[in-house]
Amino acid sequence: MPNRPPTDHALPVRTRDALRAAQLYYMQDLTMEAIAHELSTSRSSVSRLLSHARESGVVEILIHSPLEGPTRLEQEIRERHGVTAHVVPVPDQTSDVERLDRVAMTAARLLSGWVDSNQRIGIAWGSTIGAVSRHLPQRSTHNTEIVQLNGAGNMRTTGIMYASELLTRFGAAFDAPVHQFPVPAFFDDPETKRAFWRERSIRPVLELQASLDLAVFGVGSPFAEVPSHVYQGGYLDRADYRVLSEHGVVGDVATVFYRADGSSDGIPVNDRATGPDFDTLRRTPRRVGIVAGRAKVPGLRGALRAGLITDLIVDESTARELAGTASHRVTE
């Protein structure tokens, strides 16, 4: 039988009330006090209903700037790096924790508009994407799949719960099945990785990763105030850090490391990493990099030089530093 839209009576009571409150507030310009009177409830309850309407996707808010085209800062980043930048206004004095949350909230809203039916969406777990997953509004899709990009296990834990919770939020937000990648973040031996990659149970996920429509990831950095999960979750030991330092590593995308010039070849840890190699990742038409915090600028520059990002969502002060220093020679 064909799918039919839910009737008013089939909707949850809270969603139905939120829908009515949103119609009165946004379509009829009633005040919250007037809505509270009409719904026989309190003003604070109306406020919560309107918040629920936004968070559940009942209401989508679009801001049309009177300025034509992107802002000057976004335009400068586009001209220098060839990416579409979305700069999130955040005061300079804001802590990196709050900065990340505000960037994540904007990123979640933007992703909701980019994800569509009949797509394969690759998600790289991490602190930034975990924050994004908590702000995703509801948007039903058809025949869309969520694909985990990198393994999550380490010496302390399988990582299944951490990655699964994050991916489940994406699946729930877009009403899409989730394909988990049940391997460690790093194998102990490159030969073990090569053997796993030949397994019939692993091949389907690798094939999905190689045919994505959209990839979503943060830029990992050992320098950030909000540590990237790979740097503080027991994934690397002292020997790994020594090797990364010797090779001039400035960051990672999906647990694959790179240098300031964007190169990733010859870094031994990458031979054991389970994230997609950069040639595979670059075949994805839309690659969304989400960055918060000026400490991540060295890693962001490297990711841009590697050609990993097509759409950048970044806070204002980080964007200013990127634009102001992008033309300088990198010495990190």
Side-chain angles (χ1 to χ4, degrees), residues 32-50:
M32 283 196 278
E33 290 182 1
I35 297 170
H37 178 74
E38 182 163 330
L39 299 183
S40 299
T41 187
S42 66
R43 189 179 183 281
S44 59
S45 294
V46 172
S47 178
R48 287 192 291 270
L49 287 173
L50 293 174

Side-chain angles (χ1 to χ4, degrees), residues 263-283:
S263 64
S264 59
D265 58 298
I267 300 174
V269 181
N270 286 343
D271 294 333
R272 302 185 284 110
T274 55
D277 65 73
F278 289 166
D279 285 339
T280 298
L281 186 60
R282 281 190 287 258
R283 287 199 293 270

Side-chain angles (χ1 to χ4, degrees), residues 240-295:
D240 292 328
Y241 279 111
R242 184 171 62 252
V243 169
L244 295 179
S245 177
E246 290 171 354
H247 285 266
V249 165
V250 297
D252 77 279
V253 165
T255 59
V256 176
F257 299 93
Y258 52 84
R259 304 177 185 88
D261 63 1
S263 64
S264 59
D265 58 298
I267 300 174
V269 181
N270 286 343
D271 294 333
R272 302 185 284 110
T274 55
D277 65 73
F278 289 166
D279 285 339
T280 298
L281 186 60
R282 281 190 287 258
R283 287 199 293 270
T284 303
R286 190 169 216 165
R287 306 180 297 277
V288 181
I290 305 168
V291 179
R294 284 175 292 180

